[in-house]
Amino acid sequence: MSAKITYIVTAAALVVYLVLVGSRGVMLIQQGTLLTVTFGAAVLVLPGVGVWFLWKNTQFVTKANRLAAELDAEGGLPVDDLARTPSGRIDRDAADEVFARRRAETEDSPNDWRCWFRLAIAYRDARDTPRARKAMQRAITLHDRS
């Protein structure tokens, strides 16, 4: 739940920032000189990119949460029983051990979105966020096709 609240607060802060940037772009365009109109138009690109970024991330999070709920209902959601360091971080050796099992599971069933979902969790636990995101995107794609 705290992750959801953090996401909402961050998204709201981004929206406020995009509105402020957009208003500055409009103010520059209203000045009417060639230079300010050019800068204003360039500044208005930033809110467009920001809105696209926020939309794509929100879609990703929503779909990943839907898959998590479905997997949880099936009883296939991985249990978080990994050893942790005194600071609370997941022990690297424990994460690597689980990752090896998840990778083998995914290699055995490459078209099963459930395996890819669990592999994404293993990547995240191993602190490899880019690969975790790609594995989750693969799980979402496979789920949508089935």
Side-chain angles (χ1 to χ4, degrees):
M1 188 63 170
S2 67
K4 189 179 281 190
I5 292 170
T6 302
Y7 186 80
I8 290 169
V9 169
T10 304
L14 180 60
V15 168
V16 168
Y17 173 76
L18 294 175
V19 168
L20 290 173
V21 170
S23 70
R24 297 297 184 239
V26 170
M27 286 170 49
L28 284 168
I29 290 171
Q30 288 174 340
Q31 291 294 318
T33 68
L34 178 62
L35 184 63
T36 59
V37 169
T38 303
F39 279 142
V43 166
L44 286 178
V45 170
L46 294 174
V49 171
V51 166
W52 174 82
F53 176 79
L54 183 60
W55 175 250
K56 294 306 275 185
N57 278 301
T58 301
Q59 280 184 319
F60 176 79
V61 168
T62 302
K63 289 177 181 179
N65 285 339
R66 186 183 71 219
L67 264 59
E70 187 174 331
L71 197 58
D72 188 32
E74 295 174 357
L77 203 58
V79 177
D80 184 8
D81 58 355
L82 296 172
R84 300 198 181 266
T85 64
S87 66
R89 295 185 83 173
I90 293 174
D91 180 64
R92 186 67 170 214
D93 293 334
D96 289 344
E97 180 183 319
V98 170
F99 174 78
R101 287 196 319 257
R102 298 297 182 207
R103 184 180 57 200
E105 176 184 89
T106 305
E107 288 171 354
D108 290 341
S109 302
N111 294 320
D112 186 0
W113 68 266
R114 294 162 187 84
C115 294
W116 282 97
F117 185 95
R118 289 187 286 264
L119 181 64
I121 301 294
Y123 270 126
R124 189 202 63 204
D125 291 344
R127 299 183 198 125
D128 191 347
T129 305
R131 288 190 178 141
R133 189 170 182 90
K134 287 180 183 176
M136 187 60 73
Q137 287 170 338
R138 178 77 174 143
I140 290 168
T141 300
L142 288 171
H143 181 268
D144 290 346
R145 287 183 189 166
S146 61

